[in-house]
Amino acid sequence: MADDRREANLTQVVVIALLPALVFAIGEGAILPVIPTVAGSLGAGIELAGFVAGSIMIGQVLGDIPAGPVVARVGEKRAMLGSAVVSIAGVLLCVSAVSTWMLLAGVLVVGFSASTFNLARHAFLTSYVPVRYRARALSTLGGVFRAGQFIGPFITAAVIALTGIAQHAFWICAIVGVVVIGVLLFAPDVEKTTRPEPRTSRSAPAKTNVWSTVLANRRVLVRLGTGTGLIALLRGARTVVLPLWAFSIGLDAATTALVIGIAGGIDFALFFVSGWVMDRYGRAWTAVPSMLGMGVGLLALAFTHDLASAAWWFVALAIATGLANGIGSGIIMTLGADLAPRDAPAPFLGAWHIITDGASAAVPFIVAGLTLAFALPAAVGVLGVLGLVGAAIMGRYIPVFVPPPERR
């Protein structure tokens, strides 16, 4: 009977975490493609339009600072509810924007709210999913996010085809926010019925400060935090570099979208395999091959730009890096969950997200700076070397801080 209750609780946890995550990701995926277009329609040049599009990550990094203490104080479910409400406010600001700066403010608010939502669902699964299922649950969460990002743009395309107004795509995100609130309100409150460990952090606010958390955990954050930051950096760089590379070798937009779409499909298809390998053999068995694959793939790509067969090399290496990225699906969230203190995971996860989201937000600046200083092939080569460095860091420190299952 007790086992049945545990299974029911686990099912509730998965529904509460994954269903809102899918819906939220659909909303975010719906607005990302149209932000530059809407900014341009409001009078922004290409540089400012690009900055507005990237500001969603800036908002996310800023939101990571208070997110940990907020989640620790109010609980994961309430934090997700509050984030959905704030996200709707940001989207409504985007819908009613009459200037680029008004749109920028709305996008920043959406990014700010997404950081707390993402951290809350991460902390929720960290607290309630048994360790033996943890990697599979968090890899599935990563897969759900990828699915939402894949579905959202198609809904946007349909809405724009019907209305002819790109700004209407923001209504999709607003509706999605209402659906997320409904799911969370009517879902059973697992936090009130099940708690694996007492949450002492809520009675000790001083311990939830993100900076004191960084100081207390500086040893692991400097080592494994650097490795996961490089994973986030390479993932973000891959999404920026591949379209740029295709443009630079003369591929048309349709071919580029097809190749990147195929690579993304392979990436998405491997999320459960990644989680199973991590749970069965240990985290290093996906982290190291993933970083090696992306590093070697980008390094090889750097030497193909001027070849007669550059287009075929692009296709092969785009798919290869998609495969490598898929192998590591969920690794950042899983390592964060493994390392977070059991009695108060949210502040640690807040610091973890600052590192990974900060690395992702830095990608456009790093790629642009390296390309401007050297050239695109040199920039891609440097990123490939960073992938190899990340693989070495992960291979060295994961066994130290997160031993494989047989050694726990």
Side-chain angles (χ1 to χ4, degrees):
M1 189 72 176
D3 289 341
D4 291 341
R5 283 198 300 272
R6 278 198 296 272
E7 291 301 321
N9 287 336
L10 181 58
T11 302
Q12 292 171 1
V13 167
V14 170
V15 170
I16 292 172
L18 299 187
L19 184 56
L22 173 63
V23 179
F24 197 90
I26 290 172
E28 195 170 338
I31 65 171
L32 288 176
V34 302
I35 293 174
T37 304
V38 174
S41 70
L42 295 173
I46 188 167
E47 297 85 0
L48 182 56
F51 177 78
V52 173
S55 65
I56 195 165
M57 279 306 306
I58 296 173
Q60 201 158 316
V61 175
L62 293 174
D64 285 330
I65 297 172
V70 167
V71 174
R73 288 173 184 272
V74 306
E76 293 89 354
K77 184 176 177 179
R78 287 182 180 179
M80 284 191 277
L81 277 168
S83 299
V85 172
V86 174
S87 178
I88 292 172
V91 168
L92 292 177
L93 190 58
C94 293
V95 169
S96 56
V98 293
S99 70
T100 306
W101 302 110
M102 193 172 173
L103 177 67
L104 174 62
V107 172
L108 284 170
V109 171
V110 172
F112 193 92
S113 65
S115 64
T116 302
F117 187 91
N118 294 340
L119 191 144
R121 67 187 184 183
H122 191 180
F124 191 80
L125 289 175
T126 299
S127 296
Y128 293 106
V129 173
V131 174
R132 65 185 182 276
Y133 302 131
R134 176 177 286 164
R136 276 168 282 185
L138 290 169
S139 293
T140 302
L141 178 59
V144 162
F145 177 77
R146 286 169 168 83
Q149 295 276 299
F150 179 74
I151 295 168
F154 288 101
I155 300 176
T156 293
V159 168
I160 294 175
L162 289 173
T163 65
I165 302 174
Q167 208 158 345
H168 284 174
F170 290 107
W171 284 112
I172 301 169
C173 197
I175 294 168
V176 156
V178 174
V179 173
V180 169
I181 291 170
V183 170
L184 290 170
L185 286 177
F186 290 101
D189 195 342
V190 179
E191 292 182 60
K192 290 183 178 179
T193 58
T194 307
R195 172 61 66 185
E197 294 286 346
R199 302 299 292 273
T200 55
S201 61
R202 291 181 190 168
S203 60
K207 295 182 180 179
T208 65
N209 182 281
V210 69
W211 304 119
S212 62
T213 302
V214 169
L215 188 62
N217 296 278
R218 60 188 179 277
R219 181 169 174 262
V220 67
L221 289 174
V222 167
R223 291 166 174 81
L224 274 184
T226 299
T228 53
L230 287 173
I231 292 177
L233 179 69
L234 246 68
R235 286 178 173 176
R238 181 175 162 270
T239 63
V240 172
V241 161
L242 291 181
L244 276 178
W245 192 273
F247 175 75
S248 71
I249 63 174
L251 289 184
D252 61 82
T255 303
T256 301
L258 178 62
V259 172
I260 293 176
I262 293 170
I266 294 171
D267 183 347
F268 169 72
L270 292 171
F271 71 86
F272 190 80
V273 174
S274 171
W276 182 85
V277 170
M278 281 192 277
D279 280 333
R280 179 69 178 84
Y281 299 105
R283 312 325 191 199
W285 283 86
T286 64
V288 175
S290 176
M291 288 297 279
L292 279 174
M294 284 196 286
V296 171
L298 290 174
L299 199 55
L301 188 65
F303 292 96
T304 67
H305 190 273
D306 297 322
L307 299 180
S309 55
W312 290 108
W313 277 109
F314 170 74
V315 172
L317 292 171
I319 291 172
T321 55
L323 176 66
N325 194 36
I327 291 171
S329 179
I331 184 62
I332 292 176
M333 289 188 292
T334 301
L335 286 174
D338 289 335
L339 297 167
R342 189 177 175 90
D343 62 332
F348 179 88
L349 294 178
W352 195 252
H353 281 233
I354 288 173
I355 293 171
T356 56
D357 288 344
S360 297
V363 166
F365 302 101
I366 292 173
V367 172
L370 288 172
T371 303
L372 186 63
F374 305 104
L376 184 58
V380 173
V382 170
L383 292 167
V385 172
L386 289 177
L388 301 183
V389 172
I393 292 173
M394 291 309 213
R396 170 68 179 85
Y397 289 112
I398 287 179
V400 174
F401 293 102
V402 187
E406 65 271 13
R407 287 174 50 201
R408 290 180 192 170

